[in-house]
Amino acid sequence: MNAMARTQALSVETLDSIGTPALALDLDRVERNIARLTRHLDSLGVGFRPHVKTAKSVDVAERLFPNGRGPITVSTIKEAEYFADAGFTDMTYAVGLAPDKIARVQALVERGIDVKVLIDTVEQAHALADAAPSGNMPGVLIEIDCDGHRGGVVPCDPLLLDIAGILRAGAVDLRGVLTHAGESYNCRNGVGVAEAAGEERAAPVAAAGVVRRPGQAA
């Protein structure tokens, strides 16, 4: 059932009768916001990987990607499984990977889902390397700390190369680095936003230069 059919099927419900928890949206406003976002991204010539943890809704995600199935970002394995069941095939699990979740991620990869996971410790890297001989491994992103307010490794920390080395020695696919500007949460009325964005750009660029093998493209 596509997004429109599901919406029509639910249209007989009212706010008084619908079971909770439930997501209630002004669809006209959703469509306007998506159109405005799409126009802006198109004007910049960039793609995007929206975080679906807020809506947790296939209907919303299908409106963002009417002609495809991603890319998306998720915050739990359950979310990843939910969107995989709906046909989404490109996702980043953007929370530090707990070793006990590797098997569930592998199960998604076995289904043909391109999953990227996030790590920032040698213990996580070793756990992935140990699991690699069983096959069906996700791609890996190393989390970079761009402002000291979230998890991750600072670009100048030798730990960055240690993690990359463990992954490569274990034949685990190192896809790159990822960061998030926690400092931006402290910005008010636009003050400091540009600086936070600058750090959010500069840190992963520097980190990528550290972990990139000689001769590799960016």
Side-chain angles (χ1 to χ4, degrees), residues 117-146:
V117 299
L118 189 65
I119 70 171
D120 62 358
T121 70
V122 295
E123 290 79 10
Q124 291 167 307
H126 279 303
L128 285 163
D130 290 344
S134 64
N136 302 318
M137 294 299 292
V140 179
L141 302 169
I142 302 176
E143 184 174 10
I144 303 303
D145 183 356
C146 66

Side-chain angles (χ1 to χ4, degrees), residues 2-147:
N2 61 28
M4 184 61 68
R6 278 193 294 268
T7 299
Q8 291 171 344
L10 292 172
S11 62
V12 297
E13 298 279 5
T14 68
L15 290 178
D16 292 326
S17 65
I18 195 168
T20 58
L23 175 66
L25 296 174
D26 180 333
L27 290 179
D28 289 338
R29 181 171 294 183
V30 170
E31 297 289 3
R32 287 197 303 270
N33 288 342
I34 290 173
R36 183 175 62 186
L37 173 64
T38 301
R39 287 194 301 271
H40 183 59
L41 293 171
D42 287 346
S43 72
L44 297 173
V46 298
F48 77 134
R49 180 181 291 274
H51 210 313
V52 295
K53 70 177 182 180
T54 302
K56 292 183 173 63
S57 167
V58 169
D59 291 348
V60 172
E62 286 181 344
R63 285 177 163 83
L64 287 165
F65 298 102
N67 301 312
R69 286 294 181 267
I72 59 174
T73 301
V74 298
S75 60
T76 68
I77 299 295
K78 188 172 184 178
E79 286 175 7
E81 292 164 343
Y82 166 70
F83 283 96
D85 289 344
F88 283 79
T89 57
D90 182 350
M91 56 187 73
T92 296
Y93 172 40
V95 174
L97 179 68
D100 63 359
K101 291 185 170 62
I102 292 176
R104 289 174 69 185
V105 174
Q106 288 179 301
L108 287 168
V109 176
E110 187 173 6
R111 292 171 55 183
I113 311 301
D114 180 13
V115 184
K116 279 72 63 180
V117 299
L118 189 65
I119 70 171
D120 62 358
T121 70
V122 295
E123 290 79 10
Q124 291 167 307
H126 279 303
L128 285 163
D130 290 344
S134 64
N136 302 318
M137 294 299 292
V140 179
L141 302 169
I142 302 176
E143 184 174 10
I144 303 303
D145 183 356
C146 66
D147 55 22

Side-chain angles (χ1 to χ4, degrees), residues 188-208:
R188 297 292 184 273
N189 301 316
V191 177
V193 172
E195 291 78 7
E199 290 298 322
E200 192 173 20
R201 182 201 64 81
V205 169

